[in-house]
Amino acid sequence: MAPPAALSQDAFAGALRGLAKYYWDRHPFHVRLHEGGCGPDEIRSWVANRWYYQRCLAQKNAAIISRCPLPEVRRMWLPRVRFYDGAHEEEGGLAEWLVLADAVGLSREEVLDERHVLRGVRFAVDGYLHFCQTRPWTEGLAAALTELFSPELMSRRLDAWRRHYDWIKPDGLTYFETRIAVARGESADTLGLVLTHCQSAEQQQAALAALRFKCDVLGAMLDAIDYATTGG
């Protein structure tokens, strides 16, 4: 039997985009969050648990490029590490997430010591980081393609939080205001890299599996948060 043929770039891009149905925007927790159905404690749990994911992102981006032999790709990817860590103390995406935490009523100390991080969230995020540390760099890139779906979700979140949760301090929304435009640009770059460097059928299938895995990581995080905040 002949091995499966590789997809054309257009068909491969369509297959990657088709995994949007597994993204976490349709999770019951996100639906409730955007409809104004979450109380303060639920939002605080989401912010505190998402911190653990946010904290992993600079590490996973560094892990991807540490496995990549191509300097042109490493140069393109390196700003993603700095986005979260910042060029200086109190700058970058992690610093902006701590501002969000303050805006919803969480102290810096309780976020940084991760007392609220659920074991299901910790397990999912640790699994994602391990994936990027051990799998081929092209699969790490593909897993990051949830960026294709995130700008629209963040835009809806901004609108929903402003409409339904006026108790959240407005300056806490800076992370999302900044990240939406960045994610749009990064998603185009990432898709281009994946299409360029995943050309065999085997590489393409591995990339699709990696993106599906990342969607499952995000869904597992929300499963844990939803269960913990609603009592199952």
Side-chain angles (χ1 to χ4, degrees):
M1 181 181 296
L7 299 170
S8 69
Q9 282 205 348
D10 285 347
F12 183 31
L16 290 164
R17 293 185 185 278
L19 294 177
K21 62 186 177 183
Y22 300 112
Y23 189 53
W24 62 348
D25 59 331
R26 307 178 196 193
H27 192 283
F29 185 89
H30 264 158
V31 172
R32 191 167 73 252
L33 179 68
H34 292 166
E35 290 178 347
C38 287
D41 286 345
E42 291 174 283
I43 292 177
R44 291 181 188 119
S45 178
W46 181 84
V47 171
N49 278 278
R50 265 289 296 268
W51 163 261
Y52 192 71
Y53 172 75
Q54 300 299 128
R55 186 173 66 77
C56 145
L57 294 177
Q59 292 175 271
K60 72 91 180 174
N61 284 322
I64 290 170
I65 57 174
S66 76
R67 299 181 60 77
C68 177
L70 304 176
E72 63 273 22
V73 175
R74 295 198 300 266
R75 283 191 293 267
M76 182 182 292
W77 205 259
L78 187 58
R80 299 171 188 241
V81 177
R82 178 168 286 189
F83 177 87
Y84 292 100
D85 286 345
H88 304 285
E89 194 73 20
E90 303 302 325
E91 292 181 3
L94 288 180
E96 290 176 353
W97 198 267
L98 291 173
V99 174
L100 171 62
D102 175 75
V104 302
L106 291 165
S107 70
R108 185 185 184 94
E109 178 184 13
E110 65 187 310
V111 175
L112 291 178
D113 68 18
E114 298 172 358
R115 69 186 72 171
H116 302 301
V117 176
L118 300 163
R119 60 188 174 188
V121 170
R122 194 180 299 275
F123 188 82
V125 173
D126 288 354
Y128 177 44
L129 179 58
H130 179 74
F131 179 91
C132 293
Q133 290 170 332
T134 57
R135 298 300 300 166
W137 64 275
T138 49
E139 293 180 33
L141 294 183
L145 277 174
T146 48
E147 296 164 349
L148 289 171
F149 321 129
S150 64
E152 181 183 350
L153 178 63
M154 285 189 284
S155 294
R156 297 205 308 268
R157 182 178 301 135
L158 272 175
D159 292 342
W161 284 28
R162 287 168 175 153
R163 182 166 64 252
H164 298 301
Y165 308 112
D166 58 3
W167 56 271
I168 298 175
K169 299 174 188 175
D171 62 351
L173 303 180
T174 299
Y175 173 83
F176 301 117
E177 293 167 342
T178 302
R179 184 64 192 159
I180 290 170
V182 173
R184 286 196 177 106
E186 288 184 348
S187 66
D189 291 341
T190 306
L191 181 60
L193 288 170
V194 172
L195 295 179
T196 298
H197 295 284
C198 296
Q199 295 193 353
S200 71
E202 182 179 5
Q203 289 172 323
Q204 290 175 346
Q205 290 305 310
L208 289 164
L211 181 51
R212 176 64 194 273
F213 166 74
K214 173 65 178 305
C215 289
D216 287 345
V217 166
L218 298 178
M221 289 172 59
L222 282 192
D223 285 347
I225 295 168
D226 195 29
Y227 185 87
T229 56
T230 62

